[in-house]
Amino acid sequence: MLVCGALAVSAQTKVTLNTDLAKTQISKHIYGHFAEHLGKCIYGGMYVGEGNTKIPNTAGVRNDVIQALRDLKVPNLRWPGGCFADAYQWKDGIGPKANRPKMVNIWWGGVTEDNSFGTHDFLDMCERIGAEPYLAGNVGSGTVKDLADWVTYVNHPAGSPMSELRKKNGREMPWNVKLWGVGNEAWGCGGNMTAEYYSNIYRQYATFMSDHKDAKLYKIASGASDGQYDWTETLMKNIPHHMMQGVALHHYSVLSWGDKGPSVSFSEAQYFKTMDEAWKMDEFIKGHSTIMDKYDPAKKVALIVDEWGGWYNVEEGTNPGFLYQQNTMRDAMIAGLTLNIFNNHADRVKGANLAQIVNVLQAVILTNEEKMLLTPTYHVMKMYNVHQDAKLIPIDIEAPSYEFNGKKLTAVSVSASKDAQNAVNISLTNIDYSKAHEVTINLRGEDFSKVSGQILASSKISDHNTFDQPNKVSIKDFSGAKLEKGVLKLTLPAYSVVVLKVIK
Ligand code: AHR
């Protein structure tokens, strides 16, 4: 180990990029997001109401949020839950707002849901953001007919009772929603079902979710949590694969389901445990993929990680049911590492949704009345969006460890892709709490001539953006990568994310 001033530099990370073998597409849907009727995600965070004169909005949706999400290139947005999805009655969220029935949000704080943000509001908002909607259907407490009607309402062009109702409510053309979840966490808040029972229910609900003219449905089964491999195995065995385009997986980086620890003033022990949980995403994807390979060697059914992210105790003084937490450089590490894992499993992982988009869990945006800020996680997702729909470059990597109390984690993670212009984008995340790491990237003789880059780094791991200091953590240009004879060399500071672009 070299020590230069306060900066300890550890053993080398050696990466080889097999650019000539780039073949598998990294689906842009790996970069998806999730918006639930939970705390201030929808109400206050995204939707402030049509009559709001204080916060500039379009049809009630904050203009600042729309712009930030357009800039982020959000490929898809999952809604309305989460646990809320299996309690949601979509027909209560259409038609004149004054007439919409109210309900109690039993999962999140017991607050009254007035249904003022419903199907039209969500799907129109997705159009403004440029994101594909991903609707999570109610299987836990709704009927087969309710879900079949929802599909027809949003997708059938004309001439059916549901399409006529949609038109009466102001929308002539269907939205052609392709992405559908058939329930959520069916083993838990979605109905406490067994895998066998859910498989049968899935077959029944999915049968009546029909394709319409321009919308061939992509149906996603409610999947396992973490290493619940028997769930995946039962679904893969019992559900005909032509009825199921994806199986979900949820994994949160949480210290424990009791005390989840603080979002900002965490110790190194808590940081290490969070990183350990983040790395487990790789183990879970491998485990579930192995089972899927057994039943589906051609990889026709995708693994969709439609909930992931860091989960901590709520901020002091906030409603415990609202899951509001700050977002620091630790969250940037979870994001950089997890997105590298997803990219490197692009053959099976075809979609993922960070939980959640605004004001809830590992949010990319926080709001406070008319103020808005972008979190470190937002910046990582923005830096990484160069990988969307690009070709994955297989890599070989030898990386040093980040050690704490005798335990070890791989410190540096890397993924790379080739875009439509043949530029190579390489994302690197160093989760080490205190050491910088030198990295050598061998481009295997390819004659690249120019490298440019961006970095997200900050002086403290707990650094975050506040409404008074919204740009404390922000993306900077990075000129520290040197390209010589087909080899790139750089030093990654402790807890930093770097994305490099190499061109010929
Ligand atoms: O994202 C918060 C909750 O976590 C979701 O509603 C649920 O699906 C999961 O348990």
Side-chain angles (χ1 to χ4, degrees):
M1 183 176 78
L2 285 165
V3 180
C4 13
L7 187 76
V9 179
S10 193
Q12 282 237 345
T13 299
K14 290 186 189 143
V15 185
T16 304
L17 295 198
N18 302 302
T19 315
D20 48 328
L21 301 181
K23 190 176 74 201
T24 308
Q25 190 175 51
I26 298 174
S27 170
K28 65 178 178 180
H29 290 297
I30 282 176
Y31 291 82
H33 290 264
F34 171 31
E36 179 163 12
H37 285 236
L38 194 179
K40 293 191 172 155
C41 182
I42 298 291
Y43 298 109
M46 305 188 91
Y47 179 75
V48 289
E50 287 83 345
N52 196 308
T53 48
K54 241 174 58 197
I55 304 174
N57 65 84
T58 306
V61 180
R62 304 175 66 118
N63 290 346
D64 52 359
V65 169
I66 294 175
Q67 191 53 52
L69 296 179
R70 285 192 73 80
D71 295 344
L72 191 57
K73 298 204 172 102
V74 173
N76 75 75
L77 185 56
R78 179 173 181 246
W79 176 84
C83 294
F84 183 78
D86 282 291
Y88 184 59
Q89 305 298 328
W90 73 268
K91 283 177 186 156
D92 292 348
I94 55 170
K97 297 202 172 184
N99 303 342
R100 295 186 187 176
K102 295 185 171 51
M103 69 181 283
V104 175
N105 191 332
I106 54 162
W107 295 112
W108 307 116
V111 295
T112 302
E113 161 67 57
D114 68 3
N115 277 307
S116 56
F117 187 87
T119 298
H120 288 250
D121 307 276
F122 175 70
L123 296 177
D124 291 348
M125 178 179 83
C126 283
E127 286 183 344
R128 292 196 175 95
I129 294 170
E132 249 190 73
Y134 169 11
L135 293 179
N138 179 348
V139 167
S141 71
T143 65
V144 175
K145 179 170 169 10
D146 287 337
L147 187 48
D149 279 353
W150 203 13
V151 174
T152 316
Y153 186 86
V154 300
N155 285 352
H156 192 245
S160 66
M162 284 299 120
S163 60
E164 295 318 297
L165 182 59
R166 179 190 71 234
K167 289 181 191 194
K168 192 172 139 229
N169 288 331
R171 174 78 184 200
E172 182 66 28
M173 299 302 287
W175 287 278
N176 293 323
V177 178
K178 298 187 185 71
L179 304 173
W180 289 85
V182 184
N184 168 72
E185 296 193 350
W187 41 264
C189 64
N192 282 304
M193 301 174 196
T194 63
E196 287 76 14
Y197 182 76
Y198 173 72
S199 302
N200 287 337
I201 288 273
Y202 178 97
R203 294 162 68 127
Q204 185 186 3
Y205 277 72
T207 301
F208 297 94
M209 297 170 71
S210 15
D211 293 339
H212 291 292
K213 199 168 157 272
D214 292 318
K216 186 160 170 40
L217 304 192
Y218 190 98
K219 290 174 222 158
I220 300 160
S222 165
S225 173
D226 308 325
Q228 207 183 358
Y229 298 120
D230 52 340
W231 185 273
T232 301
E233 176 120 34
T234 306
L235 267 52
M236 290 302 289
K237 210 180 346 181
N238 293 352
I239 301 174
H241 294 174
H242 72 272
M243 296 184 80
M244 170 175 77
Q245 286 63 51
V247 176
L249 168 66
H250 290 179
H251 171 57
Y252 285 98
S253 298
V254 62
L255 298 183
S256 84
W257 288 107
D259 183 3
K260 302 181 189 73
S263 65
V264 175
S265 52
F266 47 88
S267 62
E268 184 172 0
Q270 289 171 322
Y271 173 75
F272 187 89
K273 172 77 175 134
T274 307
M275 292 303 111
D276 190 20
E277 285 297 320
W279 259 120
K280 279 190 189 155
M281 183 65 87
D282 194 52
E283 172 194 325
F284 294 141
I285 290 174
K286 283 180 184 149
H288 290 283
S289 299
T290 302
I291 293 164
M292 294 175 80
D293 286 348
K294 185 165 121 196
Y295 295 94
D296 172 35
K299 299 188 197 292
K300 293 216 166 103
V301 181
L303 187 62
I304 307 289
V305 189
D306 58 13
E307 288 185 29
W308 68 273
W311 192 327
Y312 318 114
N313 292 335
V314 298
E315 294 309 306
E316 223 178 291
T318 66
N319 187 328
F322 282 13
L323 310 187
Y324 178 79
Q325 63 190 40
Q326 248 299 353
N327 193 295
T328 67
M329 283 303 292
R330 170 172 64 169
D331 297 277
M333 296 302 103
I334 299 176
L337 167 58
T338 306
L339 294 170
N340 281 337
I341 294 170
F342 290 158
N343 287 344
N344 287 324
H345 289 290
D347 59 340
R348 185 60 88 175
V349 179
K350 305 281 180 198
N353 300 79
L354 175 64
Q356 297 192 7
I357 196 159
V358 182
N359 290 335
V360 170
L361 299 178
Q362 194 178 337
V364 289
I365 292 175
L366 299 178
T367 67
N368 180 10
E369 298 294 334
E370 61 273 36
K371 293 185 182 160
M372 182 199 85
L373 65 81
L374 307 176
T375 66
T377 302
Y378 177 97
H379 295 309
V380 174
M381 296 225 47
K382 187 155 186 225
M383 288 162 76
Y384 273 57
N385 71 21
V386 288
H387 292 303
Q388 292 189 14
D389 282 344
K391 294 256 163 60
L392 176 71
I393 298 176
I395 58 170
D396 301 314
I397 178 166
E398 264 175 52
S401 298
Y402 157 39
E403 295 188 29
F404 177 75
N405 261 354
K407 292 191 188 139
K408 288 180 181 181
L409 291 173
T410 304
V412 176
S413 71
V414 178
S415 67
S417 67
K418 185 150 85 167
D419 69 17
Q421 287 72 44
N422 283 325
V424 168
N425 291 296
I426 311 163
S427 46
L428 308 103
T429 297
N430 175 15
I431 62 168
D432 204 306
Y433 193 81
S434 51
K435 286 183 199 140
H437 287 286
E438 286 176 354
V439 184
T440 305
I441 305 173
N442 184 347
L443 300 164
R444 281 194 45 226
E446 299 249 0
D447 57 341
F448 292 102
S449 64
K450 247 198 208 155
V451 58
S452 57
Q454 292 189 317
I455 184 167
L456 193 77
S458 202
S459 54
K460 287 203 259 139
I461 185 73
S462 58
D463 280 351
H464 56 278
N465 292 332
T466 63
F467 296 106
D468 294 330
Q469 248 192 306
N471 298 315
K472 184 175 173 75
V473 180
S474 55
I475 303 172
K476 306 269 172 358
D477 284 340
F478 179 75
S479 53
K482 303 290 167 230
L483 177 62
E484 233 176 78
K485 296 186 188 145
V487 176
L488 272 170
K489 285 192 177 159
L490 68 148
T491 299
L492 284 176
Y495 48 88
S496 68
V497 175
V498 167
V499 175
L500 302 175
K501 183 180 281 301
V502 197
I503 55 171
K504 294 215 166 165

